[in-house]
Amino acid sequence: MPANAAYANSRTPAGHVPDPLVDAHDGESRGLPDMPPDPVMEAFGLNVYYGDFHAVHDVNLSFGRHEITALIGPSGCGKSTVLRCLNRMNDLVTGARVEGEVTYHGQNMYARNVDPIAVRTHIGMVFQKPNPFPKSIYDNIAYGPKVTGMKVENMDDLVEGALRGAALWDEVKDKLKQSAYGLSGGQQQRLCIARTIATKPDVILMDEPCSALDPIATARVEDLMHELRSDYTIIIVTHNMQQAARVSDRTAFFTARADETTGNRTGLLVEFDRTSQMFSAPRDKRTEDYISGRFG
Amino acid sequence: MSNNASSVVGPSGRTGPPAVNLARKSRPAESAIRVVLTSSAFVSVAVTVGIIAALIRPVLDFFGEVPFGDFFSTEGQFAVLPLVAGTLMVTVIALLVSVPLGLGAAMYLSEYASRRARKFLKPTVELLAGIPSVVYGFFALTFVTPTVLQDLLGVQVNFTNALSAGLVLGVMVIPTIASLSEDALSAVPHSLRQGSLAMGANRMQTTLRVVFPAALSGIAAAIVLGMSRAIGETMIVALAAGAQKNLSVDPREGMQTMTGFIAQTAGGENPVGSTSYNTLFAVGMLLFVITLLVNVVSIALVRRFRQVY
Ligand SMILES: Nc1ncnc2c1ncn2[C@@H]1O[C@H](COP(=O)(O)OP(=O)(O)OP(=O)(O)O)[C@@H](O)[C@H]1O
Ligand SMILES: [Mg+2]
């Protein structure tokens, strides 16, 4: 594999302090190992700043159609930041500035004439903490199709379909008119997933969707991700290495490096590869340390 | 040493001084503060009870002399219904002004304004609440009626009229509704807005369909408080709404309200204890009951439709 050369070069000899701004793959050598054949979204030279703080440095990534891509790495390395760039949720953060390109089907979603609302109707998001609306279960699902002006022939069918898709139908079919707050945390999170798929997005972003759930609920959501994979492209941030190994096709490992003068920790992408490859034979020492629990 | 009162006989029969001191200590400051706080809570209750008690005697005297039917009647010296209608008219006009403007201001401040704009605008809005109501009343009488209504809008209004009083009353109530509603909207968790926006909703949809319903109980409380203030406000209506009982549906005419009547009667030359003097207590009691009902009904409504988050 010729692409291996990029990684071979980036391996730093012991004792040598790596240049923080040169990373595993710069723009030139974007020939990543075994890149997804049919990318739906790609990030090129993505840099994110919160005010003066450089949060994420030069990330290049590619997300394959009907694949699950996991973003892993230590806390504060910018995983959520990168994820929020992928459907322009960073627009809502005051002081956040995004440089570089994120393309969706070849279109730069940060181009001047792009409507972030339109972006978000194609690229949905599930948050770390379940955040159902204070409405009935039914209305939670119907909300998205209503506000996005989707043409719906039969809302009942759509609600049922979304709930079945999120493996929640059997548990809630008798209480659709009850408040979503009566559900357990795991059910609420699956409701949020159902709510997202009700708008028929193309890509679903998930930011640590299981971190507030117990192992059984986690297993259900993971099963659900496997099922959803045949229809959706999924990008998931997770702290749980086993989860990344279980559910994802590809994994991107990030880490944070402290600036020598300011001490600010800037996140960068270390390695991006097939999950099986990365977990069995990581190419970068930092990945290996993190995966084997020798990190920090 | 073993006879020392503070020594402890352990389960094993071992005696000695306790290793740690768990003995009760008196904390005089704590007790004093407790007494002060408790009594201040009781003062407000006692005042409310006292007011009702003070109302009851003259009200009973009044109804000893004037039959119920003469009081709850549309005509006659003791008729209260024209006053109730006047209050209703002025309050409705005030709410028509203050609810849309107050909620609009609240939504702008909470959902649209930049942090800098909000920091400047919210105190400005609240400043409106600090203007003495007599100033508002004067403003209604000398500016709104002649200049705004008669000259600018060409509305044929009397010198005193319900329209002008209601409009200015509405302006006076805006800060109450805006400020409290803004608090309610801002208290809605950010995650709900993000959830809505992440589904492709725009800001207006998010505000109206997610944030607003979630804040509804707080907003309803704000409106009820505004309404109570409008019903109870005296100076504006006494100056600008007129001092004549007038059972009419035309807001261009002057009409006296309950509060306006009370102010007039209390300041008039009715001898204390006379029936006409006692009328003011009967009207006051009715005002109290109406305000209470408004509060109770709206609390019940809010409970019913509340969305918890
Ligand atoms: N809204 C914000 N304003 C300012 N700085 C932010 C903001 N959000 C994130 N940051 C900073 O950006 C860096 C990356 O944060 P981010 O939340 O993306 O990390 P993460 O990898 O998701 O961490 P975790 O695993 O703990 O969720 C952190 O140093 C964080 O302090
Ligand atoms: Mg995060």
Tab-separated table of all heavy atoms in Angstrom, chain A residues 48-51 53-56 71-84 90 92-96 128 207-208 237-239 254 256 264-267 290, ligand 1:
chain	number	residue	atom	x	y	z
A	48	VAL	N	-10.944	24.919	13.358
A	48	VAL	CA	-12.009	25.567	14.122
A	48	VAL	C	-11.397	26.400	15.235
A	48	VAL	O	-10.472	25.956	15.917
A	48	VAL	CB	-12.980	24.527	14.725
A	48	VAL	CG1	-14.179	25.236	15.340
A	48	VAL	CG2	-13.427	23.536	13.686
A	49	TYR	N	-11.922	27.588	15.387
A	49	TYR	CA	-11.457	28.504	16.433
A	49	TYR	C	-12.650	28.904	17.291
A	49	TYR	O	-13.746	29.122	16.783
A	49	TYR	CB	-10.867	29.768	15.810
A	49	TYR	CG	-9.717	29.504	14.864
A	49	TYR	CD1	-9.962	29.160	13.539
A	49	TYR	CD2	-8.398	29.605	15.294
A	49	TYR	CE1	-8.912	28.906	12.661
A	49	TYR	CE2	-7.353	29.351	14.434
A	49	TYR	CZ	-7.607	29.008	13.121
A	49	TYR	OH	-6.574	28.754	12.259
A	50	TYR	N	-12.426	28.957	18.612
A	50	TYR	CA	-13.399	29.581	19.500
A	50	TYR	C	-12.758	30.879	19.958
A	50	TYR	O	-11.880	30.855	20.814
A	50	TYR	CB	-13.702	28.685	20.705
A	50	TYR	CG	-14.457	27.421	20.336
A	50	TYR	CD1	-13.851	26.174	20.439
A	50	TYR	CD2	-15.771	27.472	19.897
A	50	TYR	CE1	-14.543	25.017	20.109
A	50	TYR	CE2	-16.472	26.320	19.562
A	50	TYR	CZ	-15.851	25.095	19.672
A	50	TYR	OH	-16.534	23.963	19.356
A	51	GLY	N	-13.157	31.974	19.390
A	51	GLY	CA	-12.449	33.229	19.656
A	51	GLY	C	-11.021	33.107	19.158
A	51	GLY	O	-10.794	32.776	17.999
A	53	PHE	N	-8.958	30.949	20.443
A	53	PHE	CA	-8.493	29.612	20.775
A	53	PHE	C	-8.639	28.676	19.569
A	53	PHE	O	-9.729	28.497	19.021
A	53	PHE	CB	-9.299	29.104	21.981
A	53	PHE	CG	-9.085	27.661	22.290
A	53	PHE	CD1	-7.809	27.160	22.492
A	53	PHE	CD2	-10.170	26.804	22.391
A	53	PHE	CE1	-7.620	25.817	22.781
A	53	PHE	CE2	-9.995	25.459	22.682
A	53	PHE	CZ	-8.706	24.979	22.874
A	54	HIS	N	-7.511	28.124	19.150
A	54	HIS	CA	-7.498	27.215	18.017
A	54	HIS	C	-7.873	25.825	18.526
A	54	HIS	O	-7.062	25.140	19.134
A	54	HIS	CB	-6.085	27.217	17.407
A	54	HIS	CG	-6.020	26.530	16.091
A	54	HIS	ND1	-4.867	26.425	15.366
A	54	HIS	CD2	-6.955	25.915	15.352
A	54	HIS	CE1	-5.084	25.778	14.239
A	54	HIS	NE2	-6.347	25.459	14.215
A	55	ALA	N	-9.128	25.416	18.319
A	55	ALA	CA	-9.608	24.181	18.939
A	55	ALA	C	-9.265	22.957	18.111
A	55	ALA	O	-8.943	21.898	18.656
A	55	ALA	CB	-11.112	24.257	19.166
A	56	VAL	N	-9.342	23.067	16.787
A	56	VAL	CA	-9.102	21.907	15.933
A	56	VAL	C	-8.212	22.334	14.778
A	56	VAL	O	-8.464	23.355	14.135
A	56	VAL	CB	-10.429	21.339	15.391
A	56	VAL	CG1	-10.151	20.291	14.327
A	56	VAL	CG2	-11.253	20.739	16.509
A	71	LEU	N	-15.626	8.640	15.803
A	71	LEU	CA	-14.594	9.607	16.158
A	71	LEU	C	-14.223	9.346	17.614
A	71	LEU	O	-15.095	9.415	18.489
A	71	LEU	CB	-15.098	11.048	15.999
A	71	LEU	CG	-15.813	11.419	14.695
A	71	LEU	CD1	-16.163	12.908	14.707
A	71	LEU	CD2	-14.961	11.095	13.479
A	72	ILE	N	-12.971	8.988	17.843
A	72	ILE	CA	-12.565	8.712	19.219
A	72	ILE	C	-11.365	9.590	19.569
A	72	ILE	O	-10.743	10.197	18.702
A	72	ILE	CB	-12.205	7.222	19.441
A	72	ILE	CG1	-11.011	6.825	18.581
A	72	ILE	CG2	-13.384	6.330	19.157
A	72	ILE	CD1	-10.433	5.469	18.966
A	73	GLY	N	-11.065	9.619	20.868
A	73	GLY	CA	-9.928	10.401	21.327
A	73	GLY	C	-10.181	10.920	22.726
A	73	GLY	O	-11.321	10.897	23.197
A	74	PRO	N	-9.141	11.393	23.376
A	74	PRO	CA	-9.281	11.855	24.757
A	74	PRO	C	-10.176	13.094	24.843
A	74	PRO	O	-10.381	13.790	23.857
A	74	PRO	CB	-7.847	12.178	25.189
A	74	PRO	CG	-7.102	12.393	23.914
A	74	PRO	CD	-7.744	11.507	22.906
A	75	SER	N	-10.662	13.359	26.043
A	75	SER	CA	-11.562	14.483	26.265
A	75	SER	C	-10.892	15.807	25.878
A	75	SER	O	-9.725	16.009	26.162
A	75	SER	CB	-11.961	14.513	27.737
A	75	SER	OG	-12.967	15.453	27.928
A	76	GLY	N	-11.646	16.646	25.210
A	76	GLY	CA	-11.138	17.965	24.858
A	76	GLY	C	-10.329	18.004	23.573
A	76	GLY	O	-9.741	19.025	23.246
A	77	CYS	N	-10.302	16.891	22.829
A	77	CYS	CA	-9.490	16.888	21.616
A	77	CYS	C	-10.280	17.384	20.408
A	77	CYS	O	-9.767	17.413	19.299
A	77	CYS	CB	-8.945	15.495	21.339
A	77	CYS	SG	-10.226	14.318	20.942
A	78	GLY	N	-11.529	17.767	20.623
A	78	GLY	CA	-12.261	18.411	19.545
A	78	GLY	C	-13.194	17.515	18.763
A	78	GLY	O	-13.612	17.878	17.658
A	79	LYS	N	-13.558	16.376	19.299
A	79	LYS	CA	-14.461	15.477	18.573
A	79	LYS	C	-15.823	16.118	18.360
A	79	LYS	O	-16.355	16.124	17.247
A	79	LYS	CB	-14.636	14.159	19.345
A	79	LYS	CG	-13.345	13.458	19.678
A	79	LYS	CD	-13.576	12.200	20.472
A	79	LYS	CE	-14.196	12.428	21.841
A	79	LYS	NZ	-13.329	13.153	22.789
A	80	SER	N	-16.382	16.638	19.448
A	80	SER	CA	-17.698	17.274	19.320
A	80	SER	C	-17.617	18.478	18.401
A	80	SER	O	-18.540	18.751	17.632
A	80	SER	CB	-18.207	17.720	20.690
A	80	SER	OG	-18.289	16.627	21.555
A	81	THR	N	-16.520	19.186	18.493
A	81	THR	CA	-16.339	20.362	17.646
A	81	THR	C	-16.372	19.969	16.173
A	81	THR	O	-17.066	20.589	15.371
A	81	THR	CB	-14.999	21.040	17.993
A	81	THR	OG1	-15.034	21.427	19.364
A	81	THR	CG2	-14.741	22.239	17.121
A	82	VAL	N	-15.620	18.915	15.832
A	82	VAL	CA	-15.613	18.454	14.441
A	82	VAL	C	-17.008	18.003	14.035
A	82	VAL	O	-17.510	18.358	12.964
A	82	VAL	CB	-14.586	17.311	14.263
A	82	VAL	CG1	-14.773	16.636	12.919
A	82	VAL	CG2	-13.182	17.854	14.402
A	83	LEU	N	-17.665	17.268	14.935
A	83	LEU	CA	-18.993	16.758	14.596
A	83	LEU	C	-19.962	17.911	14.331
A	83	LEU	O	-20.739	17.879	13.378
A	83	LEU	CB	-19.515	15.881	15.742
A	83	LEU	CG	-20.700	15.002	15.384
A	83	LEU	CD1	-20.227	13.840	14.531
A	83	LEU	CD2	-21.405	14.483	16.626
A	84	ARG	N	-19.886	18.939	15.164
A	84	ARG	CA	-20.795	20.076	14.985
A	84	ARG	C	-20.530	20.823	13.684
A	84	ARG	O	-21.418	21.474	13.158
A	84	ARG	CB	-20.674	21.038	16.172
A	84	ARG	CG	-21.435	20.585	17.401
A	84	ARG	CD	-21.663	21.748	18.353
A	84	ARG	NE	-20.419	22.312	18.836
A	84	ARG	CZ	-19.832	21.952	19.980
A	84	ARG	NH1	-20.404	21.050	20.735
A	84	ARG	NH2	-18.701	22.500	20.345
A	90	ASN	N	-22.111	24.519	14.653
A	90	ASN	CA	-21.183	25.482	15.241
A	90	ASN	C	-21.583	26.916	14.942
A	90	ASN	O	-21.131	27.837	15.610
A	90	ASN	CB	-19.760	25.229	14.747
A	90	ASN	CG	-18.980	24.366	15.722
A	90	ASN	OD1	-19.380	24.218	16.863
A	90	ASN	ND2	-17.888	23.799	15.268
A	92	LEU	N	-24.178	28.133	15.772
A	92	LEU	CA	-24.963	28.595	16.911
A	92	LEU	C	-24.088	28.937	18.105
A	92	LEU	O	-24.560	29.496	19.076
A	92	LEU	CB	-25.961	27.508	17.338
A	92	LEU	CG	-26.830	26.938	16.228
A	92	LEU	CD1	-27.648	25.784	16.735
A	92	LEU	CD2	-27.723	28.029	15.677
A	93	VAL	N	-22.802	28.567	18.030
A	93	VAL	CA	-21.906	28.848	19.147
A	93	VAL	C	-21.293	30.228	18.929
A	93	VAL	O	-20.633	30.449	17.916
A	93	VAL	CB	-20.800	27.780	19.233
A	93	VAL	CG1	-19.856	28.081	20.375
A	93	VAL	CG2	-21.412	26.398	19.381
A	94	THR	N	-21.538	31.130	19.865
A	94	THR	CA	-20.987	32.477	19.673
A	94	THR	C	-19.469	32.414	19.750
A	94	THR	O	-18.907	31.789	20.638
A	94	THR	CB	-21.505	33.462	20.737
A	94	THR	OG1	-21.576	32.764	21.973
A	94	THR	CG2	-22.864	34.006	20.386
A	95	GLY	N	-18.828	33.037	18.793
A	95	GLY	CA	-17.375	33.098	18.781
A	95	GLY	C	-16.722	31.957	18.013
A	95	GLY	O	-15.522	31.974	17.807
A	96	ALA	N	-17.508	30.975	17.594
A	96	ALA	CA	-16.914	29.859	16.855
A	96	ALA	C	-16.675	30.273	15.404
A	96	ALA	O	-17.495	30.944	14.792
A	96	ALA	CB	-17.822	28.641	16.914
A	128	GLN	N	-25.718	14.156	23.136
A	128	GLN	CA	-25.216	13.318	24.223
A	128	GLN	C	-26.300	13.056	25.266
A	128	GLN	O	-26.526	11.930	25.664
A	128	GLN	CB	-24.022	14.043	24.859
A	128	GLN	CG	-23.428	13.331	26.037
A	128	GLN	CD	-22.088	13.934	26.424
A	128	GLN	OE1	-21.610	14.857	25.780
A	128	GLN	NE2	-21.474	13.407	27.457
A	207	ASP	N	-23.489	12.403	18.974
A	207	ASP	CA	-22.428	12.806	19.899
A	207	ASP	C	-22.578	12.037	21.206
A	207	ASP	O	-23.414	12.381	22.027
A	207	ASP	CB	-22.494	14.316	20.149
A	207	ASP	CG	-21.238	14.828	20.828
A	207	ASP	OD1	-20.418	13.998	21.263
A	207	ASP	OD2	-21.071	16.058	20.909
A	208	GLU	N	-21.774	11.048	21.381
A	208	GLU	CA	-21.833	10.202	22.581
A	208	GLU	C	-23.271	9.837	22.933
A	208	GLU	O	-23.741	10.131	24.033
A	208	GLU	CB	-21.165	10.912	23.764
A	208	GLU	CG	-19.710	11.242	23.509
A	208	GLU	CD	-19.033	11.829	24.735
A	208	GLU	OE1	-19.291	11.313	25.827
A	208	GLU	OE2	-18.268	12.784	24.593
A	237	VAL	N	-19.568	10.035	17.763
A	237	VAL	CA	-18.482	10.330	18.700
A	237	VAL	C	-18.662	9.415	19.886
A	237	VAL	O	-19.779	9.273	20.394
A	237	VAL	CB	-18.551	11.795	19.174
A	237	VAL	CG1	-17.589	12.022	20.330
A	237	VAL	CG2	-18.250	12.741	18.039
A	238	THR	N	-17.608	8.766	20.322
A	238	THR	CA	-17.762	7.916	21.496
A	238	THR	C	-16.489	7.909	22.318
A	238	THR	O	-15.388	8.071	21.814
A	238	THR	CB	-18.171	6.477	21.116
A	238	THR	OG1	-18.232	5.697	22.294
A	238	THR	CG2	-17.187	5.858	20.145
A	239	HIS	N	-16.683	7.740	23.628
A	239	HIS	CA	-15.547	7.603	24.536
A	239	HIS	C	-15.267	6.140	24.785
A	239	HIS	O	-14.304	5.794	25.458
A	239	HIS	CB	-15.892	8.268	25.874
A	239	HIS	CG	-15.417	9.663	25.952
A	239	HIS	ND1	-14.090	9.976	26.074
A	239	HIS	CD2	-16.068	10.838	25.891
A	239	HIS	CE1	-13.968	11.284	26.101
A	239	HIS	NE2	-15.147	11.832	25.981
A	254	PHE	N	-8.438	11.128	17.287
A	254	PHE	CA	-7.961	12.497	17.488
A	254	PHE	C	-7.164	12.563	18.768
A	254	PHE	O	-7.363	11.780	19.678
A	254	PHE	CB	-9.147	13.465	17.643
A	254	PHE	CG	-9.967	13.642	16.411
A	254	PHE	CD1	-10.882	12.682	16.039
A	254	PHE	CD2	-9.835	14.782	15.629
A	254	PHE	CE1	-11.647	12.840	14.902
A	254	PHE	CE2	-10.592	14.944	14.496
A	254	PHE	CZ	-11.505	13.976	14.122
A	256	ALA	N	-5.058	15.772	21.381
A	256	ALA	CA	-4.830	17.206	21.560
A	256	ALA	C	-3.370	17.433	21.876
A	256	ALA	O	-2.763	16.658	22.601
A	256	ALA	CB	-5.706	17.735	22.702
A	264	ASN	N	-2.316	26.252	25.069
A	264	ASN	CA	-3.628	25.862	24.549
A	264	ASN	C	-3.551	24.485	23.901
A	264	ASN	O	-2.607	24.178	23.184
A	264	ASN	CB	-4.095	26.860	23.493
A	264	ASN	CG	-4.555	28.151	24.118
A	264	ASN	OD1	-4.912	28.175	25.301
A	264	ASN	ND2	-4.535	29.225	23.357
A	265	ARG	N	-4.559	23.711	24.135
A	265	ARG	CA	-4.563	22.363	23.565
A	265	ARG	C	-5.389	22.347	22.294
A	265	ARG	O	-6.586	22.559	22.314
A	265	ARG	CB	-5.112	21.361	24.582
A	265	ARG	CG	-4.214	21.249	25.815
A	265	ARG	CD	-4.826	20.342	26.857
A	265	ARG	NE	-4.965	18.974	26.385
A	265	ARG	CZ	-3.968	18.093	26.321
A	265	ARG	NH1	-2.761	18.443	26.711
A	265	ARG	NH2	-4.174	16.872	25.881
A	266	THR	N	-4.705	22.108	21.202
A	266	THR	CA	-5.369	22.074	19.907
A	266	THR	C	-5.564	20.622	19.475
A	266	THR	O	-4.647	19.817	19.556
A	266	THR	CB	-4.504	22.821	18.874
A	266	THR	OG1	-4.398	24.173	19.273
A	266	THR	CG2	-5.137	22.749	17.493
A	267	GLY	N	-6.776	20.336	19.038
A	267	GLY	CA	-7.062	18.968	18.634
A	267	GLY	C	-6.627	18.719	17.205
A	267	GLY	O	-6.654	19.611	16.357
A	290	TYR	N	-3.323	4.977	23.118
A	290	TYR	CA	-4.690	5.306	23.549
A	290	TYR	C	-5.565	4.061	23.582
A	290	TYR	O	-6.282	3.800	24.553
A	290	TYR	CB	-5.297	6.350	22.611
A	290	TYR	CG	-6.648	6.835	23.055
A	290	TYR	CD1	-6.779	7.675	24.149
A	290	TYR	CD2	-7.807	6.440	22.384
A	290	TYR	CE1	-8.012	8.119	24.565
A	290	TYR	CE2	-9.054	6.884	22.790
A	290	TYR	CZ	-9.149	7.725	23.891
A	290	TYR	OH	-10.372	8.159	24.298
C	1	LIG	N1	-18.525	26.697	22.902
C	1	LIG	C1	-17.200	26.681	23.135
C	1	LIG	N2	-16.578	27.830	23.423
C	1	LIG	C2	-15.249	27.826	23.684
C	1	LIG	N3	-14.475	26.737	23.665
C	1	LIG	C3	-15.048	25.566	23.384
C	1	LIG	C4	-16.451	25.475	23.115
C	1	LIG	N4	-16.759	24.186	22.880
C	1	LIG	C5	-15.607	23.509	22.993
C	1	LIG	N5	-14.579	24.330	23.296
C	1	LIG	C6	-13.186	23.943	23.482
C	1	LIG	O1	-12.754	23.260	22.336
C	1	LIG	C7	-11.982	22.134	22.689
C	1	LIG	C8	-12.601	20.909	22.082
C	1	LIG	O2	-13.852	20.712	22.683
C	1	LIG	P1	-14.829	19.538	22.278
C	1	LIG	O3	-16.078	19.705	23.049
C	1	LIG	O4	-14.933	19.483	20.817
C	1	LIG	O5	-14.011	18.281	22.801
C	1	LIG	P2	-14.449	16.753	22.816
C	1	LIG	O6	-13.389	16.007	22.122
C	1	LIG	O7	-15.830	16.589	22.326
C	1	LIG	O8	-14.365	16.439	24.351
C	1	LIG	P3	-15.284	15.430	25.200
C	1	LIG	O9	-14.808	14.086	24.855
C	1	LIG	O10	-14.963	15.797	26.619
C	1	LIG	O11	-16.705	15.685	24.824
C	1	LIG	C9	-11.936	22.089	24.199
C	1	LIG	O12	-10.705	22.623	24.611
C	1	LIG	C10	-13.058	22.976	24.631
C	1	LIG	O13	-12.730	23.634	25.810
